[in-house]
Amino acid sequence: MKKSGFGIIGLILVAALYYFTAGSAQITEKMKKQVNDELTTLQQNGFGINNREIKETEEHFVLSFDEPAKITSYLSSQGAEVAQEDILAFKGLKIGVDAKYLNDSYSALSLDIYPVGLPKSLLQEIEEEDKAALERIKKMMADKTLLVHLDFNKLLTGFKGRIKDINETFEDEGKVTFISEGFKFEGDIENEKVKTVRQTLELFSVEADKELTMKLSNFTSNYTLTGPSPYDSKSGYFVGKIELQGESEFSMLMKDLNVNAVSSVKNDLLQSSISTKTGMIELTEAQKKYKMNDILFDFNIDNLDIVSFEALQGVDVNDEKTINALTQKILAKGITMNIPNFSAKKITESGKTMDGFTLNSSLSIDKSFDINAVSQDPLAVLNALSSKTNISVSNELFIRIAQEPKAMMVLMLLPPVEKAGKKIYEIEFIKGKITVNGASF
C-alpha cells in the first residue's frame, strides 16, 4: 500500500499525546504549532502552501505540487513508493485542506481534502480539446464534488473517513454518468504507521450511453501491515458483483469475487502469494452465452530481489545498460513463479453444462543466465527457462474444444493421455526442449 503523500498524519502525533492532561484550548495551540512546523517542512520539500487562514479552532490552506524532483525525494524518504514521472504529472495540482481541531467527541483532527486546481498538463489538454468540459470540472471543484473527509481519534490510534457520494452526468459528446456511493474507510495506527485499513463501497458505476456500462457493487477490502517494509503485508477484498455491458453483442457478469494476498520480505527477497476465487463468470458475445462456475486461480512468486526491482521502476526506459544490470541482479537470485491451481468446476455453453478443467504450472530462470547474451543470441533466454505444466480436461470439454478448427490440428499432433475419465497433458520445457506426455515435440 502506498503511504499518503500529504504528510497529514504526522502533523498531530506529538500534540495529541497531551490531550488527556491539558485543556482543549492548550492542546489546540500545541496542535496548531505542530501543523505550522509540518507545513514549513513541506514548503522546504517542493510543496507550496497558499491562501492560509488560521482561526481559533480551524484553518484552511491550499497545498500545491510545485517542484516534482524535491517532492519525489521527500516522499521516498518518508517511505512512500513514488516515481518522479508520476509526481511530474501532478505538477500544478492544488489541493484544498480544511482542518478542524477537536471537532467532535471522536476527533483530534478532522480534515476535508478536495482539489481546487488541475495539473498543468491536464489543464492544457482539456483547454485545447473541450472548453465546456473544463468549465464543468471547474464547477465540480467549486462545489467540492470530489471530497475526502478524514478524522483522527484523540489517541491517534485510529482514523475513519469517507468519500463524498458522486452522481455526475456529462453530455458534451454523448451522455456519460458517473456514480460512486457509500465509499467509507477506517484504520488503525501503530508506532506512527498505518497498521490496518478497511474499506467498503456500495456502488461504483460508469454509463456511457449504450456503448459502455460498468458497475461494481458490494465491495469490501482489508489491509494489514505485518512487518517493517510496505511489502510485509496481507490483504483481501470481496466484490459482490461486477457488470460490464458493451454494445448489444457483448456483456460480462461476475459474482462473488474473493482475492487474498500475502507477501513478506526476508534478506531483501520478496515472497508473495495471491489466491482468487470467483463464484461465477458469465459472458455473452454474438448471441452466444458462456458461463463458468467456481473458478480458482492461485499465483506465487518467490525470490524477487525487491531492492533491484524498485530501482528498476525509476530507470529511464532508454538507459539499456542500467536496465540490464538491474535485471541481471533480479535473475541472479533465482526467481520462481508458480500457478498451483487454475480451475473451473463447471462450464456452460448455450445451455449445455460440462465438467471443467484444472491446470498447475511452474516457471524458473537459471541463476547463471546472462542477460547480455540475449543481444548476441535472442534464443539464449530459452536455455535458461524451465517450466512444467499439468492440464486436466473433462472428456466433454475436450470434445467441445476439438470441434474448433484451430484446435483440431494441434490436438491431432499432441494426443492426450486419459486418466480417470479426464484428458491429461503433462508438458515440460527444459533448456529449449519441449516434451508432451513424455514425447519430444
Side-chain angles (χ1 to χ4, degrees), residues 128-196:
E128 292 175 359
E129 294 185 357
D130 195 338
K131 292 184 178 181
L134 177 60
E135 292 304 314
R136 178 62 182 272
I137 293 173
K138 287 182 177 179
K139 185 179 185 303
M140 290 173 62
M141 290 192 294
D143 294 339
K144 298 182 182 179
T145 301
L146 306 174
L147 183 144
V148 179
H149 179 82
L150 183 61
D151 294 301
F152 296 96
N153 70 15
K154 292 183 171 69
L155 291 177
L156 287 187
T157 57
F159 61 90
K160 62 182 181 180
R162 63 184 182 275
I163 294 179
K164 182 180 177 181
D165 286 354
I166 301 170
N167 190 330
E168 291 288 328
T169 298
F170 299 84
E171 297 187 74
D172 301 314
E173 295 182 6
K175 184 177 179 182
V176 179
T177 301
F178 177 85
I179 299 172
S180 176
E181 295 178 352
F183 195 154
K184 299 179 181 179
F185 56 90
E186 63 179 8
D188 304 304
I189 300 171
E190 187 176 298
N191 297 324
E192 302 183 9
K193 291 184 177 181
V194 175
K195 179 72 173 180
T196 63

Side-chain angles (χ1 to χ4, degrees), residues 99-115:
K100 292 185 179 181
Y101 304 104
L102 309 179
N103 188 45
D104 52 41
S105 60
Y106 174 90
S107 306
L109 176 66
S110 297
L111 301 172
D112 281 343
I113 305 170
Y114 49 92

